[in-house]
Amino acid sequence: MLRYTEKTMDVDVCIIGQGLTGLVAALKLKAAGRSVLLLEKDKMSGGLAGDMPLGNTRIEHIYHHCFANDFSLIELLYTLDIEDRLQWYEPKNGLFSNGHLYSFTTPLDLLSCRSISLPDRIRTGLTVLQAKRVNDWKPLEHETARDYLVRRSGKTAYERIWQPLLLAKFGDDADSVSAVWIWNKFKVRGASRDKSQRAEKLGYLKDGFGTLVSAIVEKLKADDEKRVTLMNNVEVEAIEKTKTGFEIQTNDGTHKAKQVIAAVAAPMFNHLTKTLDLGTYRDLLNVTKYKANICLLLSFDRQVTPYYWTTICDDLPFVVIVEQTNLVAKEVYGSHLLYLSCYLDTSDPLWLKNDDEIEAQFLAGLWSLFPDAEGSFQKKLSLIRSQYAQPVIPTLYSQKQPGIRTPIEGLYLAGMSQIYPEDRGLNYAIKLGKDVAKAVLEKNDV
Ligand SMILES: Cc1cc2nc3c(=O)[nH]c(=O)nc-3n(C[C@H](O)[C@H](O)[C@H](O)COP(=O)(O)OP(=O)(O)OC[C@H]3O[C@@H](n4cnc5c(N)ncnc54)[C@H](O)[C@@H]3O)c2cc1C
């Protein structure tokens, strides 16, 4: 049954999701004169890039940085007049493997990592360097990341270095991930290094990426004609087709729009469009599985690790430690900040535990690596569960990827699994937001 409330809107375009993709699409549509309604189920805008206040600054619930070749992101900062917020850092990275903590910042570090033999270290280094020179990713589509890495680095290097990383991120699905995914990782990281390949440059915004979200929201709201309406705490439950457009049913009433952009993950879109006839397009929505993520943010009196980013290859409840205050000075926040993060399926018992149980399990893991840290622990600042955190991209995905345009005219999907061959990232969410807005405007049927 349809529910209409006083808040019911009738607009040109309804965008579901106020992550960066939805927000950027709204910017473009507003600039083209469209009336836009943005619905978001969370209280805050920003989606995975959402943040919270901390002292005189802000911090993301989930660690974020950007890369030197994130051109869409950098361009947007200029458009919003906040480019001076972008600062570049040269952080140090570590790798925890077989009970040892290795420095893993430069190619030289790889050469001295005794986890594998010298010839295997050289092959591993060459794998990364060679991948960075590959521009045509199409031939890699046929192969899994596993086969590609075994072929290039050898079985031992695969088992000691790459397999734990793939397992950490993709669990049971590790063997089905496409070689294009790992190639892309090498390419993005390589492009963020200087010519000597020594230092990797990572970017971070003064006061965090939440300031980018706020700048977009401010620009969307700055409108005398009130062409853009943002609604938070409004969860979309279904999208229905009508003769003239769409009805968007939410937990807080029904809205009408001539066109709809679902800036959400493909499985969510699948759920919202249950009653629509999407033909074979619906099969494509089920091709990509998503891994969920749990991210815990903690504060300490003292530094815990010497690194910004420590990849964990051993069996622990988390797969990466990100010590934010080894990137940005501790003085900015008033204490040392550290994230612990893991990827998992929503059927995993850990996902079903309550926050206190998860925190206890993560802390026990951290103390097992850094026993001294327990004495300097202050408190948990945030614990966030993201159901759609990382798409598992299979082989030959270019033939299976759902397009931005769905078979129903005026209905668009713009989610993380549609930026292939790139992997998820703020930069690609921004690009996707622009692309989907362009598709809407090209149609010219508003
Ligand atoms: C652990 C982790 C670390 C990351 N680190 C980095 C990094 O260092 N650098 C980087 O560039 N990128 C990073 N990313 C990726 C980056 O955060 C994402 O690529 C980007 O934020 C995706 O934006 P989006 O708008 O496409 O999706 P989301 O941010 O997922 O936005 C979708 C929005 O839709 C809303 N929504 C969903 N369903 C409904 C519904 N039914 N009704 C209403 N609203 C709904 C959601 O609440 C959400 O706000 C990271 C991601 C994760 C998970």
Side-chain angles (χ1 to χ4, degrees), residues 355-375:
D355 287 5
D356 290 344
E357 289 170 318
I358 293 175
E359 183 187 346
Q361 207 163 320
F362 274 36
L363 286 180
L366 188 64
W367 308 153
S368 73
L369 298 184
F370 301 98
D372 292 348
E374 190 169 0

Side-chain angles (χ1 to χ4, degrees), residues 16-22 39-42 44 46-49 62-67 70 234-237 263-265 268 272 293 295 308-309 341 343 386 388-390 414-416 424-427 429 432:
I16 306 168
Q18 291 178 22
L20 269 180
T21 303
L39 302 174
E40 168 57 53
K41 70 179 164 66
D42 286 349
M44 302 282 289
L48 293 169
I62 300 176
Y63 48 89
H64 275 84
H65 51 249
C66 66
F67 299 97
D70 280 349
V234 176
E235 179 157 6
V236 176
E237 291 166 349
V264 299
M268 173 55 73
L272 298 178
N293 175 271
C295 193
Y308 166 57
W309 185 279
S341 151
Y343 292 90
S386 312
Y388 303 114
Q390 172 69 57
M416 241 192 247
R424 61 155 208 213
L426 301 173
N427 183 64
L432 183 63

Side-chain angles (χ1 to χ4, degrees), residues 64-356:
H64 275 84
H65 51 249
C66 66
F67 299 97
N69 56 349
D70 280 349
F71 300 121
S72 299
L73 169 64
I74 294 168
E75 186 193 53
L76 180 61
L77 297 177
Y78 274 93
T79 309
L80 295 167
D81 231 1
I82 54 169
E83 74 281 3
D84 56 343
R85 289 192 162 270
L86 179 57
Q87 291 160 354
W88 294 100
Y89 300 85
E90 289 184 5
K92 294 196 179 105
N93 301 326
L95 180 84
F96 202 89
S97 174
N98 285 322
H100 293 284
L101 182 60
Y102 299 95
S103 175
F104 218 68
T105 309
T106 67
L108 261 182
D109 289 333
L110 177 62
L111 284 179
S112 51
C113 173
R114 301 231 175 82
S115 181
I116 48 175
S117 70
L118 185 61
D120 279 344
R121 282 176 242 165
I122 294 169
R123 280 184 77 182
T124 302
L126 289 174
T127 304
V128 180
L129 288 176
Q130 190 271 346
K132 283 188 281 205
R133 285 198 289 270
V134 172
N135 289 321
D136 181 12
W137 49 271
K138 282 277 175 138
L140 294 175
E141 271 215 307
H142 298 263
E143 215 173 1
T144 62
R146 180 188 183 285
D147 291 347
Y148 169 77
L149 290 166
V150 169
R151 182 163 61 76
R152 301 225 57 109
S153 300
K155 200 160 176 284
T156 314
Y158 173 74
E159 283 170 357
R160 298 262 170 85
I161 305 237
W162 304 121
Q163 189 178 34
L165 297 182
L166 287 171
L167 282 172
K169 197 145 205 178
F170 297 106
D172 292 345
D173 298 298
D175 282 353
S176 61
V177 175
S178 167
V180 174
W181 183 82
I182 195 78
W183 160 79
N184 192 277
K185 285 277 155 223
F186 295 150
K187 183 179 66 99
V188 169
R189 303 306 287 235
S192 236
R193 285 180 184 275
D194 61 12
K195 282 223 170 69
S196 71
Q197 292 292 309
R198 242 181 245 130
E200 182 184 37
K201 276 201 167 59
L202 297 182
Y204 189 72
L205 295 192
K206 183 172 177 299
D207 298 319
F209 286 97
T211 57
L212 168 61
V213 172
S214 306
I216 301 175
V217 168
E218 219 172 280
K219 187 144 185 161
L220 289 172
K221 286 182 175 168
D223 184 356
D224 299 337
E225 297 157 43
K226 299 268 178 295
R227 278 201 303 265
V228 178
T229 307
L230 290 105
M231 287 186 180
N232 289 72
N233 290 318
V234 176
E235 179 157 6
V236 176
E237 291 166 349
I239 305 168
E240 301 288 352
K241 183 83 187 88
T242 64
K243 273 192 189 136
T244 51
F246 297 89
E247 264 167 2
I248 302 97
Q249 297 169 9
T250 80
N251 60 346
D252 190 33
T254 300
H255 303 283
K256 289 182 182 175
K258 295 192 185 95
Q259 292 179 304
V260 173
I261 296 174
V264 299
M268 173 55 73
F269 182 73
N270 198 11
H271 167 72
L272 298 178
T273 56
K274 277 198 299 267
T275 59
L276 301 181
D277 180 10
L278 296 179
T280 52
Y281 185 88
R282 193 172 296 285
D283 302 336
L284 304 180
L285 299 175
N286 295 319
V287 166
T288 320
K289 256 182 92 172
Y290 277 74
K291 290 289 168 187
N293 175 271
I294 299 177
C295 193
L296 176 65
L297 174 60
L298 308 164
S299 67
F300 291 84
D301 290 334
R302 289 194 301 274
Q303 186 186 41
V304 177
T305 79
Y307 304 113
Y308 166 57
W309 185 279
T310 305
T311 303
I312 309 291
C313 294
D314 291 0
D315 190 19
L316 282 162
F318 44 85
V319 296
V320 66
I321 305 174
V322 181
E323 193 155 347
Q324 175 75 8
T325 35
N326 288 336
L327 186 76
V328 177
K330 169 235 162 194
E331 286 66 32
V332 172
Y333 305 101
S335 51
H336 293 268
L337 303 185
L338 180 140
Y339 293 98
L340 300 174
S341 151
C342 77
Y343 292 90
L344 69 176
D345 289 322
T346 50
S347 55
D348 192 300
L350 187 65
W351 180 262
L352 303 172
K353 290 196 161 141
N354 68 39
D355 287 5
D356 290 344

Side-chain angles (χ1 to χ4, degrees), residues 4 8 12 33 99 374:
Y4 288 94
T8 296
D12 290 332
E374 190 169 0

